[in-house]
Amino acid sequence: MGKRKAKQQDLWVSTSEIPKGASHPFYAKVNEVLQQRHLDRRLEHLCRRFYKPVLGRPSMAPGVYFRMLLIGFFEGIDSERGIAWRVADSLSLREFLGCSVTELTPDHSTLSRTRRLLPVETHRAVFRWFVKVLGEEGLIEGQSIAIDATTLEANAAMRSIRRREDGRRYEEYLKDLAKAEGLENPTREQLARLDRKRKKKGSNQEWRSPADPDARITKMKDGRTHLAHKAEHAVDLSSGAVVAVTLQAADQGDTTTMQPTLEEAQANAALVNERGVEEAVADKGYHSNQVLVDLQGEGVRSYLPEPQRGPRKWAGKQQTQVYANRRRMGGRRGKDLQKLRSELTERSFAHMYETGGMRRTHLRKRNNILKRLLFHAVGFNLALLLRERYGIGKPRTLQGTVDAILLLPIAIAALWACWIESVEDNEPAPNCFCFSHACRADEVFRISTTGC
């Protein structure tokens, strides 16, 4: 048995002696697609006014910055520190960035400094350019879009909120309320009991977060109350590609945030087709008389489910738009579009925020978060293009395929034994096994015994 011994490191190492790992096949295809579209040259043209020609330390190239954000989406890494560590640790990702084994990869401070340097308009220009690329590839039509929103947990704690008028902390405010009721030195239990009886205690008009002033107090999908932001997507119903992404205050209603997202989608869809957006699909939270009037004024047909509101009192011409939308929702096309909306919009949320690692943000202020969201959307659209060309949209798509291949003979043998047993007993063959192809995460066959 050998023993571990201390080794003295060599002073000089030849680059030819450094082991070179095989390039990742997925990232090699990503680089192939990006080089075909001359991404680096286009990014350097967009960002040339933000870089000094001579002065200062050597900066990170815009193409490297773009690829590092793509790695954050494909690998599901939420923080910039995690992206920098992952790149420094992987030889295949070094090759994806164009860094040799002797070069230092960009650290998280360089990545964050570059993000602060480049404005939101530059990130949005890259997103629009890639929407145009998908249009040239025939993956975006831009005529029928679905709009939906979700909440992202902000990088701020509820315990740090302060009063807007005087800056008092929440605990100090409760102590003042307790003194007003005659409690001079209240305990924590008494303060909690007093706070439990109050109504509307988390109003955004009264409280703000000093860490992230753009965050708003809202109820999350799981029922928790937290500081959050509202991300809204406009998804093309022909392919599921993201046409527009906006980030807005979490306390604003869907009927308020729909118009900015639709305007952004109209501008991006005009790059693909001359007519722009012609049909807008959303859930019943977006339904209102004014929204329907605005959509008709822009020449967009609406497919919005109408909530149960009881008897209506009509004013002006709003009745015509409501009845027209109701008639379209009752037709076959309206029902088909609603099915596509529920499938495709939720798919974009799952890829960008669940597996993409952006459900909880590590950045603060709306512009910084929007920059990450725009490049996450670029990665999502790029995955659609890669899946169309090569059949694989993410680097972890083929995980678990070996397990599926090994389980398949076992399942066939068990099914055959169950069939033989039923034939010997002169009984009809029971439904012993149910095979379903699970394509959400690991692409494996799940076998469930339902009849034996």
Side-chain angles (χ1 to χ4, degrees):
M1 180 179 65
K3 295 183 179 180
R4 184 180 179 86
K5 299 179 180 180
K7 296 182 180 180
Q8 182 178 1
Q9 298 293 332
D10 296 333
L11 183 61
W12 304 100
V13 179
S14 174
T15 56
S16 60
E17 298 177 0
I18 300 177
K20 182 178 181 300
S23 61
H24 198 290
F26 174 79
Y27 289 108
K29 294 299 182 183
V30 173
N31 257 340
E32 181 181 333
V33 172
L34 298 181
Q35 290 171 4
Q36 289 175 357
R37 293 291 176 172
H38 307 286
L39 172 75
D40 295 277
R41 187 174 62 186
R42 181 173 294 273
L43 287 176
E44 291 169 4
H45 176 74
L46 283 173
C47 305
R48 67 184 185 277
R49 60 192 178 96
F50 302 107
Y51 288 82
K52 296 295 182 181
V54 178
L55 301 178
R57 53 176 281 187
S59 57
M60 181 170 58
V64 176
Y65 167 72
F66 172 80
R67 285 174 173 83
M68 290 187 73
L69 294 187
L70 285 184
I71 290 172
F73 168 74
F74 288 125
E75 300 289 331
I77 304 175
D78 48 6
S79 66
E80 294 175 347
R81 288 178 180 268
I83 295 174
W85 177 85
R86 181 74 177 89
V87 168
D89 188 61
S90 173
L91 293 177
S92 60
L93 293 182
R94 281 173 173 268
E95 185 176 354
F96 175 62
L97 297 181
C99 299
S100 64
V101 293
T102 58
E103 292 182 73
L104 289 176
T105 56
D107 57 5
H108 72 277
S109 61
T110 306
L111 184 60
S112 61
R113 190 184 303 114
T114 306
R115 171 181 45 78
R116 292 193 299 267
L117 173 69
L118 302 179
V120 178
E121 289 73 18
T122 303
H123 294 74
R124 189 176 286 116
V126 178
F127 172 77
R128 288 179 175 176
W129 167 75
F130 207 80
V131 168
K132 187 177 180 180
V133 169
L134 289 187
E136 295 172 357
E137 295 285 340
L139 293 178
I140 287 184
E141 295 180 359
Q143 297 178 0
S144 301
I145 65 168
I147 298 178
D148 204 354
T150 186
T151 51
L152 308 180
E153 186 177 340
N155 188 16
M158 285 288 293
R159 68 182 65 181
S160 65
I161 58 176
R162 295 176 179 267
R163 297 285 294 183
R164 289 185 179 271
E165 65 269 11
D166 52 12
R168 282 182 296 172
R169 294 180 179 274
Y170 197 82
E171 187 176 357
E172 297 173 354
Y173 176 71
L174 286 180
K175 288 182 178 179
D176 293 340
L177 291 180
K179 290 180 181 180
E181 294 191 2
L183 298 175
E184 292 297 331
N185 296 315
T187 62
R188 294 187 62 181
E189 290 78 7
Q190 291 174 332
L191 290 178
R193 190 181 304 112
L194 175 65
D195 186 41
R196 195 180 301 116
K197 296 179 181 179
R198 295 192 310 117
K199 296 182 179 180
K200 297 182 179 180
K201 50 192 174 184
S203 174
N204 286 293
Q205 284 72 31
E206 299 176 356
W207 299 93
R208 63 182 290 271
S209 171
D212 190 356
D214 295 332
R216 295 291 184 269
I217 303 172
T218 188
K219 182 170 288 188
M220 306 297 288
K221 296 293 184 180
D222 55 2
R224 296 179 300 122
T225 300
H226 208 281
L227 292 165
H229 301 273
K230 180 179 181 180
E232 198 163 50
H233 289 192
V235 178
D236 182 61
L237 292 180
S238 63
S239 62
V242 178
V243 182
V245 179
T246 58
L247 187 70
Q248 306 181 56
D251 59 342
Q252 293 185 358
D254 291 340
T255 57
T256 305
T257 60
M258 183 178 186
Q259 189 62 30
T261 306
L262 183 61
E263 292 176 358
E264 189 75 18
Q266 283 277 22
N268 296 341
L271 303 174
V272 180
N273 65 82
E274 297 179 355
R275 294 175 293 181
V277 177
E278 297 180 348
E279 297 176 327
V281 189
D283 57 23
K284 62 182 179 181
Y286 290 87
H287 188 285
S288 73
N289 296 347
Q290 190 60 43
V291 167
L292 298 178
V293 171
D294 294 340
L295 289 177
Q296 188 183 30
E298 297 179 7
V300 179
R301 294 190 300 275
S302 61
Y303 293 87
L304 309 181
E306 186 175 0
Q308 297 294 333
R309 291 172 176 160
R312 305 291 303 278
K313 293 183 179 180
W314 302 107
K317 300 180 181 179
Q318 296 177 350
Q319 183 178 3
T320 304
Q321 286 80 14
V322 173
Y323 281 178
N325 175 76
R326 188 182 299 174
R327 183 181 64 254
R328 286 190 293 267
M329 282 302 304
R332 183 62 183 175
R333 178 163 179 78
K335 296 178 181 178
D336 292 341
L337 289 178
Q338 282 297 323
K339 291 179 181 179
L340 284 175
R341 177 201 63 80
S342 60
E343 174 187 351
L344 298 180
T345 55
E346 295 298 332
R347 181 182 298 173
S348 66
F349 293 154
H351 281 277
M352 289 178 58
Y353 305 131
E354 302 298 339
T355 60
M358 280 289 288
R359 179 58 69 181
R360 185 189 185 280
T361 62
H362 284 259
L363 300 175
R364 293 173 177 173
K365 296 186 179 179
R366 192 168 300 156
N367 285 342
N368 289 327
I369 301 173
L370 182 57
K371 293 174 185 179
R372 280 293 303 270
L373 292 188
L374 287 170
F375 272 85
H376 258 54
V378 171
F380 178 78
N381 290 342
L382 178 60
L384 292 178
L385 178 58
L386 292 169
R387 190 174 293 111
E388 179 71 19
R389 285 192 180 183
Y390 308 110
I392 299 177
K394 280 192 172 182
R396 293 176 290 178
T397 300
L398 296 180
Q399 285 184 354
T401 307
V402 177
D403 297 336
I405 296 174
L406 294 176
L407 284 175
L408 187 58
I410 301 174
I412 294 175
L415 182 62
W416 178 257
C418 186
W419 175 266
I420 294 298
E421 182 180 355
S422 63
V423 171
E424 292 177 352
D425 296 338
N426 294 324
E427 296 179 357
N431 183 16
C432 297
F433 292 89
C434 175
F435 298 93
S436 62
H437 184 64
C439 56
R440 292 179 57 187
D442 53 359
E443 300 290 336
V444 299
F445 285 98
R446 294 182 180 177
I447 305 171
S448 60
T449 57
T450 58
C452 298

